[in-house]
Amino acid sequence: MPRPSGKLKVAILASGRGSNLGALIAASALPGAPFCVAAAISDNPDVPALARAREAGIEAIAIQRQSFPSKAAFDAALADAAEKSGAGLICLAGFMRVLSPAFLSRFPGGVINVHPSLLPSFPGLDAQKQALEHGVKITGCTVHFVDDGVDTGPIILQAAVPVEPGDTVELLSSRILAQEHLIYTKAVEMIATGQIPFPHPGRPLLSKTKE
Ligand code: GRF
């Protein structure tokens, strides 16, 4: 994977608010950061995520599904944009579309995601609501490699977040989100510094990683 100037180049795909994108950009701007953000790509031109990237001087690219005759053509355009940015690592950060095996095959073992639950519990949409409805006492967030399932790939890092009495989806989500920002930046740093096998061969991460 390309690493000009010694830093791992990252492309971030986001569909909305972009707080994880913001956390990654902020971490990449710290002195000695082992990665840089090469591009932000969204399926919606009007989202805060792209505005945040532009404010940070990062290339912000909108690629809309309706501009393409098929999902295959749309996914190919997403992959072309990510590849053109020179990114070696693709970070999904609230990207609301499932990427096809054809997209993933362009970056084998090189796509990661953050999800607001302790996977494999509560994959898919509304993970925080699912956790509250199940009455779990501890939930959290997960950074994982992306495979062709939904929220099923090898787990990189997790953080636990206790459910408090009287929690609402909003309260719980905001406490989980704070942890997402921490573990997402840490996971990218660990990948960029060679502490995680990368590109990932697709097996569960069982070996001890340095804290
Ligand atoms: C986060 O909760 C993330 O776990 C999920 O989508 C949300 C994105 O939030 N995949 P943001 O756009 O990064 O603020």
Side-chain angles (χ1 to χ4, degrees):
M1 293 283 172
R3 281 196 203 191
S5 56
K7 292 194 180 206
L8 177 66
K9 283 182 148 195
V10 172
I12 305 174
L13 272 62
S15 297
R17 175 178 59 186
S19 72
N20 279 287
L21 171 144
L24 289 171
I25 291 174
S28 74
L30 294 174
F35 70 96
C36 60
V37 180
I41 303 170
S42 182
D43 55 338
N44 183 336
D46 302 317
V47 288
L50 286 188
R52 281 178 194 253
R54 269 186 226 105
E55 277 161 27
I58 289 163
E59 187 180 14
I61 303 163
I63 299 176
Q64 293 183 268
R65 171 66 183 87
Q66 59 264 39
S67 307
F68 297 88
S70 63
K71 165 136 174 70
F74 170 66
D75 274 13
L78 289 172
D80 288 345
E83 196 175 276
K84 197 164 158 230
S85 76
L89 174 67
I90 313 298
C91 293
L92 309 184
F95 190 66
M96 297 307 288
R97 292 174 186 273
V98 176
L99 292 165
S100 61
F103 178 99
L104 297 174
S105 71
R106 299 270 299 268
F107 311 96
V111 183
I112 65 173
N113 182 43
V114 63
H115 181 77
S117 75
L118 291 176
L119 292 171
S121 292
F122 314 131
L125 293 175
D126 299 324
Q128 304 93 332
K129 183 163 174 267
Q130 292 184 55
L132 283 179
E133 285 174 355
H134 276 262
V136 296
K137 304 304 172 208
I138 296 174
T139 183
C141 49
T142 303
V143 179
H144 63 97
F145 284 99
V146 175
D147 63 12
D148 55 9
V150 175
D151 303 322
T152 50
I155 289 167
I156 302 170
L157 288 177
Q158 294 186 302
V161 175
V163 177
E164 305 288 355
D167 251 347
T168 60
V169 171
E170 290 71 29
L171 285 170
L172 180 59
S173 299
S174 75
R175 293 204 312 283
I176 293 173
L177 193 64
Q179 295 301 314
E180 291 182 36
H181 298 163
L182 296 176
I183 65 167
Y184 213 3
T185 54
K186 185 170 178 188
V188 175
E189 283 165 5
M190 290 175 81
I191 288 170
T193 54
Q195 295 176 65
I196 300 282
F198 182 77
H200 194 262
R203 292 186 299 274
L205 284 166
L206 295 174
S207 59
K208 279 191 180 168
T209 49
K210 211 169 62 181
E211 288 299 316

